[in-house]
Amino acid sequence: MTTNMAPTAVLTILFVVLLAFPCNLHKIPPHEDVARVARFVANQCDWASMATISTHDPIKGQPFSNAFSVSDGPVGYGSGVPYMYLTLMEISVQDLQVNSQASLSMSLAQTDFCKNEGYDPQSPLCAHIIFSGTVVEVNGTEAVTAKKALFGRHPEMADWPSDHNWFFAKMNITQVWVLDYFGGVKTVTPEDYFKATPYKSFHSFLFSG
């Protein structure tokens, strides 16, 4: 009887571990792991504030910030590339046609994390990131990747008016700025950002102390 119960007990333990795993997997990395934190924030957030240089009177030449839906892929499986679904009818996209340089800001204040922890959105403990770079259109196989990433997180995009001539784009990142703890802003190179793994592997989850 003991022999028969042992496999059952093991399976029960594994089942409980698997149920707990997704929750622990999606915890924010330690603040010392700056690149991992940046990748985590980028994957958790599904919209961003994009600042462009305005081409429209009466604020021509001044910064202009606007909200955009973004996605780097499914939660837990992001690529780190912030994709967007854009149309030339949009005022900020018109700015990008003249000057493709932009910044893209995302914050865990957009999720439940900061509220649950009691962090004000401006607190450095409420982790937020800023991408510097250029916004470029993507085509071919990368457009297919962008579509899967965006439509998976924003399904209503599939029904947006076709006569708006939507296209897929990404932020071509040249610098990453991270505020996730006291002591000032930290920077991450694109190389280190894309090499980082924001989530624990199943193996490290099981055997971490």
Side-chain angles (χ1 to χ4, degrees):
M1 185 173 181
T2 303
T3 304
N4 291 334
M5 289 183 66
T8 303
V10 170
L11 287 172
T12 301
I13 292 170
L14 285 173
F15 180 71
V16 171
V17 168
L18 287 169
L19 285 177
F21 177 54
C23 187
N24 285 276
L25 172 71
H26 293 170
K27 283 187 176 179
I28 186 170
H31 66 84
E32 298 91 349
D33 297 339
V34 185
R36 291 184 63 212
V37 171
R39 285 288 301 274
F40 179 87
V41 175
N43 184 239
Q44 289 287 309
C45 296
D46 59 11
W47 65 271
S49 176
M50 182 166 67
T52 57
I53 301 300
S54 180
T55 57
H56 298 84
D57 292 326
I59 60 166
K60 185 179 289 187
Q62 298 180 28
F64 185 79
S65 184
N66 204 350
F68 287 87
S69 297
V70 297
S71 174
D72 77 333
V75 174
Y77 302 94
S79 66
V81 179
Y83 289 112
M84 293 171 279
Y85 196 39
L86 306 177
T87 170
L88 291 176
M89 298 175 69
E90 214 288 323
I91 188 169
S92 297
V93 180
Q94 293 168 14
D95 295 340
L96 293 171
Q97 298 301 298
V98 177
N99 184 346
S100 62
Q101 295 181 72
S103 63
L104 203 65
S105 302
M106 289 178 253
S107 168
L108 289 186
Q110 299 164 221
T111 71
D112 292 331
F113 173 79
C114 298
K115 182 178 180 181
N116 291 342
E117 295 292 332
Y119 299 150
D120 186 86
Q122 193 172 328
S123 167
L125 298 176
C126 183
H128 45 293
I129 62 174
I130 305 163
F131 293 124
S132 297
T134 56
V135 178
V136 296
E137 183 175 357
V138 297
N139 297 289
T141 56
E142 190 169 15
V144 174
T145 300
K147 181 177 181 179
K148 289 179 180 177
L150 286 160
F151 286 22
R153 299 276 291 266
H154 306 279
E156 92 168 55
M157 285 181 170
D159 298 320
W160 287 359
S162 58
D163 61 358
H164 284 31
N165 296 316
W166 299 95
F167 62 93
F168 296 101
K170 69 178 179 181
M171 167 67 79
N172 187 18
I173 301 168
T174 57
Q175 187 64 275
V176 184
W177 310 79
V178 182
L179 281 157
D180 68 336
Y181 200 68
F182 304 109
V185 68
K186 292 168 279 190
T187 58
V188 178
T189 65
E191 292 76 17
D192 287 341
Y193 170 78
F194 285 113
K195 284 192 298 186
T197 53
Y199 302 104
K200 283 187 175 183
S201 67
F202 185 55
H203 181 274
S204 65
F205 168 77
L206 286 176
F207 298 102
S208 60

